[in-house]
Amino acid sequence: MSRTIDWDGDAVVIVDQCALPESYRTLRLTTIDELVDAIKRLAVRGAPALGAAGALGVAMSARLHRGPGGTTGATDATNAVAADAERLASARPTAVNLRWGVERALAALPRGADAVTAEAVAMLTEDELVNKQASRNAADLVLRHCSRRPLRLLTHCNTGRLAAVDWGTALGVVRHLHAAGHVEYVLADETRPLLQGSRLTAWELAELGVPYRLLPDSAAPAAMATGLVDCVLVGADRVAANGDVANKIGTYALAVAAARHHIPFFVVAPESTVDRELPDGSHIVLEQRPAEEITHVAGTRVAPQGAQVFNPAFDITPAELVTAVVTEHGVLHVRS
Ligand SMILES: CSC[C@H]1O[C@H](OP(=O)(O)O)[C@H](O)[C@@H]1O
């Protein structure tokens, strides 16, 4: 299966990202409950992949609730699909793509279940093309900003094909640059607590044959201070109208360190991640994750009973720390 998330005609099929890197397996999701659960436990994750999951979920609901001839016009069917759509859209609050994908599929509901399915499936191909272009635009910008060859790149979390339908965003930039022979190595933040970097990005880079080194998130500023980094590449879950960026927790610290060491800091995302209704990042809802993600490691308790935690899944990087936000349309925002 080349796609991270797909439609098999009746169900949503995903690569189970909770099983990687030990096991590459797919899950076939046939109900909204199964899909919502997969989103919440990050079996499917990453802003673009969540957009596809939201759209395919609405298609699955429309088919489950359709009337004779595939119609979905009956009030009870429409209400049932709308209720499923809201469950999907609210499963994770920060990535704007999830609600964007749900609403885009829902808009086709008056034309029937097959129209909803066609819209959702079309989004899968569109996602790969859009992210290939966004990452191409960003790769060109990196080559113009960074004179050293080959490049030493630092990434955070997972922004490759596992975070999208295929290809990826920030890690998609690495793919373009590596294919052109411009990558010496990638420093990949492990990205605690869910380790998307060490579990998923390392797996993707190994699959691509890209030289990489894993590092603790807290070591990234030291890597910059000792001259090991030419450029930082990250994804996004929501970009506000002024260029403020919501992304995986730890991104803000990377941006501060990159600014301190005059290292270019690029955010790569599809236009579907830009929320122009939000004037700035202060309005972005940041998902808070369960305490167990901090108090336990690999299922073993490492903190005292009753330990209190602060476990936001995302943080906000102010626009003034971002060299550029790059989408498929080009440079959305450049640091003033
Ligand atoms: C290509 S967008 C990936 C984006 O999503 C990740 O969050 P999560 O793993 O919780 O879905 C992270 O913020 C990445 O930058």
Side-chain angles (χ1 to χ4, degrees), residues 42 45-48 92 157-159 163 169 196 235-237 247-248 314:
L42 281 74
R45 47 143 301 278
R92 292 187 73 194
C157 196
N158 171 257
T159 57
T169 59
Q196 289 92 326
D237 289 81
N247 196 52
K248 183 54 51 194
F314 304 100

Side-chain angles (χ1 to χ4, degrees), residues 25-266:
R25 67 179 183 224
T26 59
L27 293 176
R28 188 169 185 273
L29 309 172
T30 61
T31 69
I32 298 302
D33 285 348
E34 288 176 345
L35 181 52
V36 168
D37 175 65
I39 291 170
K40 288 186 171 182
R41 60 188 180 86
L42 281 74
V44 57
R45 47 143 301 278
L50 291 177
L56 290 174
V58 172
M60 186 157 63
S61 175
R63 299 169 79 82
L64 289 169
H65 296 292
R66 64 182 164 186
T71 60
T72 50
T75 304
D76 56 341
T78 301
N79 292 343
V81 175
D84 285 344
E86 186 52 35
R87 285 184 64 203
L88 288 161
S90 53
R92 292 187 73 194
T94 305
V96 64
N97 304 63
L98 180 54
R99 187 169 290 275
W100 167 82
V102 165
E103 291 176 352
R104 181 164 157 183
L106 208 53
L109 189 61
R111 292 184 279 120
D114 289 344
V116 177
T117 306
E119 182 68 20
V121 169
M123 288 170 64
L124 302 180
T125 303
E126 180 186 304
D127 180 81
E128 180 179 355
L129 296 175
V130 156
N131 287 319
K132 264 187 181 173
Q133 185 57 55
S135 51
R136 175 74 269 167
N137 293 342
D140 293 343
L141 199 59
V142 169
L143 292 172
R144 291 201 297 273
H145 261 77
C146 305
S147 55
R148 188 185 189 279
R149 297 292 184 271
L151 291 160
R152 302 160 305 168
L153 306 168
L154 187 140
T155 70
H156 192 64
C157 196
N158 171 257
T159 57
R161 71 183 184 94
L162 291 171
V165 173
D166 202 339
W167 195 259
T169 59
L171 212 63
V173 180
V174 173
R175 295 181 73 169
H176 284 304
L177 294 173
H178 173 65
H182 292 314
V183 177
E184 179 175 338
Y185 59 65
V186 172
L187 288 177
D189 280 355
E190 63 176 352
T191 314
R192 275 196 47 76
L194 296 182
L195 304 177
Q196 289 92 326
S198 45
R199 293 187 306 107
L200 306 176
T201 298
W203 183 84
E204 286 199 49
L205 291 173
E207 189 188 50
L208 292 166
V210 177
Y212 72 92
R213 300 165 75 182
L214 280 172
L215 69 166
D217 306 340
S218 53
M224 295 185 207
T226 48
L228 300 178
V229 180
D230 299 310
C231 177
V232 178
L233 296 167
V234 299
D237 289 81
R238 195 181 293 247
V239 181
N242 73 333
D244 289 349
V245 175
N247 196 52
K248 183 54 51 194
I249 189 71
T251 302
Y252 171 58
L254 287 180
V256 170
R260 169 71 177 77
H261 296 287
H262 310 292
I263 295 170
F265 185 91
F266 292 111

